[in-house]
Amino acid sequence: AGDLADTFSPRFGGVNTTCKRTQYEKSKDRLSWRLECRGQLNMDSAATFTFLSSLRYTATIATKGWIGGRQIMASQVKLEGEYLGACPR
C-alpha cells in the first residue's frame, strides 16, 4: 500500500491482447490513469482516485470494451474505501 501506483493501477492483459498505460497523473491527494488494450478484445479504462485522508478514498472507474468493432460492454464503478483496522488472525 506504500506505492499508490502499484496498489491502485490495473494489471490487464490476456490472450491476443496488448495493454499500455496512456495516461498517469499522481499528486498528494489524487491519482488518475488511463489504460488502452488492443487485440482480440479492445478495452479502454480510465480511473480517478481521490484520497480524502491517509485512511479513506473514493474512486470512479469507467470501462468500455469492443470485439470486432462492436461495443460489447460499458461500465462505471464508484468506490469508497476506508481503513477500519487490522484484520483479525
Side-chain angles (χ1 to χ4, degrees), residues 47-84:
T48 301
F49 290 80
T50 302
F51 300 96
L52 305 169
S53 74
S54 62
L55 302 176
R56 188 164 178 252
Y57 71 90
T58 61
T60 301
I61 304 171
T63 303
K64 291 182 181 180
W66 300 264
I67 292 180
R70 182 173 173 216
Q71 187 172 342
I72 59 166
M73 60 88 61
S75 69
Q76 184 175 30
V77 178
K78 293 186 181 266
L79 304 170
E80 279 192 46
E82 184 173 8
Y83 177 78
L84 299 177

Side-chain angles (χ1 to χ4, degrees), residues 5-30:
D6 189 49
T7 302
F8 292 102
S9 293
R11 287 180 177 76
F12 285 103
V15 178
N16 301 322
T17 301
T18 302
C19 300
K20 70 178 181 176
R21 187 169 59 190
T22 59
Q23 177 189 356
Y24 178 82
E25 294 179 31
K26 178 181 155 189
S27 68
K28 179 182 172 188
D29 60 353
R30 192 174 178 124

